[in-house]
Amino acid sequence: MAASAPSMRRRRVAAPQEDRSAFAGCTEALSEMWAELSGDRRRTDEYFASNAGLVADVRLQMLIYFNALFSVCWGCVWLTLYFYKYAHWRADLMSAFLNPILFFVWAAMEPLRLWFGTTGNLSERVANLAAFFLLTVFPQLFTHVQLLAAPVFLLPFEVIGGALMLVMLVTEAIVSFTATRRLIRKSTAQFHLQHDVDAADAPPIQLEM
């Protein structure tokens, strides 16, 4: 009987601890549910995107890589076909002068656009990634639409290559837009986290009466 008394005391002491742990779990679950219903995104992982680590988009990086290879091939072939066409066929004056201007605008902007996309995606720079998106929409997308619409006659490579380039540019614009939004959310979350940390570490303000 004497030996069973301490065990009964232990059971009586352990029971409130289990109750408190269950109560704490229920309270935490209810607080998380209330945070989601009330729109308090500070308590969700979506808001605190900084916990995700590196947010570089693999799909965007693959698109940039294959676009760089395709752009070199497309530019060389298009330039060769341009001299071949206008040496053997007679074209209107607008196409003969407008097409080289559009091509050289594309050739000047394409390396800069790809550099902005690579550095912005891998280094997580919002400004570079936003510049990549803007250069993709204009002038690159605009120039390819004009190159497909401006000439009087098009060779099969110009139609197929231009269509592939348009599809690639539209896909890059969509993916880079989503990647930029994700990176902005991460930067915003890091700012709020740092603000909360600084506010917690700041000494309390004492008012002198």
Side-chain angles (χ1 to χ4, degrees):
M1 295 296 293
S4 61
S7 61
M8 294 177 63
R9 293 194 187 94
R10 293 193 192 96
R11 292 194 193 99
R12 290 173 184 172
V13 172
Q17 293 179 355
E18 295 176 358
D19 294 339
R20 281 196 296 270
S21 62
F23 179 76
C26 294
T27 305
E28 184 177 358
L30 290 175
S31 62
E32 293 294 336
M33 186 182 301
W34 173 255
E36 294 179 1
L37 293 175
S38 60
D40 187 8
R41 299 178 65 189
R42 291 178 299 175
R43 300 180 62 90
T44 60
D45 291 336
E46 182 182 0
Y47 185 81
F48 285 115
S50 59
N51 295 328
L54 187 66
V55 295
D57 199 312
V58 180
R59 300 171 301 170
L60 180 60
Q61 198 60 38
M62 292 176 63
L63 285 171
I64 293 173
Y65 174 76
F66 289 113
N67 191 6
L69 298 179
F70 184 72
S71 295
V72 173
C73 299
W74 182 87
C76 295
V77 175
W78 188 94
L79 200 59
T80 304
L81 291 178
Y82 172 79
F83 288 111
Y84 174 77
K85 283 197 311 181
Y86 294 105
H88 294 81
W89 286 286
R90 188 175 177 182
D92 60 308
L93 190 62
M94 182 177 179
S95 298
F97 283 95
L98 181 62
N99 288 350
I101 294 175
L102 293 174
F103 176 80
F104 285 115
V105 168
W106 170 84
M109 291 291 105
E110 188 67 4
L112 186 63
R113 184 183 73 92
L114 296 175
W115 180 82
F116 275 131
T118 302
T119 56
N121 188 36
L122 297 181
S123 303
E124 298 184 358
R125 298 178 181 177
V126 178
N128 291 18
L129 207 55
F132 171 79
F133 171 76
L134 294 176
L135 289 177
T136 300
V137 176
F138 184 84
Q140 303 302 77
L141 194 60
F142 174 77
T143 55
H144 281 284
V145 172
Q146 291 297 321
L147 286 174
L148 287 175
V152 177
F153 60 95
L154 291 173
L155 295 177
F157 173 81
E158 292 179 303
V159 177
I160 298 174
L164 288 176
M165 188 67 78
L166 284 177
V167 171
M168 192 173 296
L169 288 174
V170 171
T171 307
E172 286 177 351
I174 296 173
V175 176
S176 63
F177 180 75
T178 57
T180 305
R181 289 185 59 186
R182 190 184 309 115
L183 191 55
I184 290 174
R185 284 200 303 267
K186 178 183 178 181
S187 301
T188 306
Q190 288 179 342
F191 172 78
H192 283 282
L193 282 174
Q194 187 62 37
H195 181 269
D196 293 340
V197 171
D198 294 341
D201 294 340
I205 300 177
Q206 298 180 357
L207 299 177
E208 296 182 357
M209 301 299 294

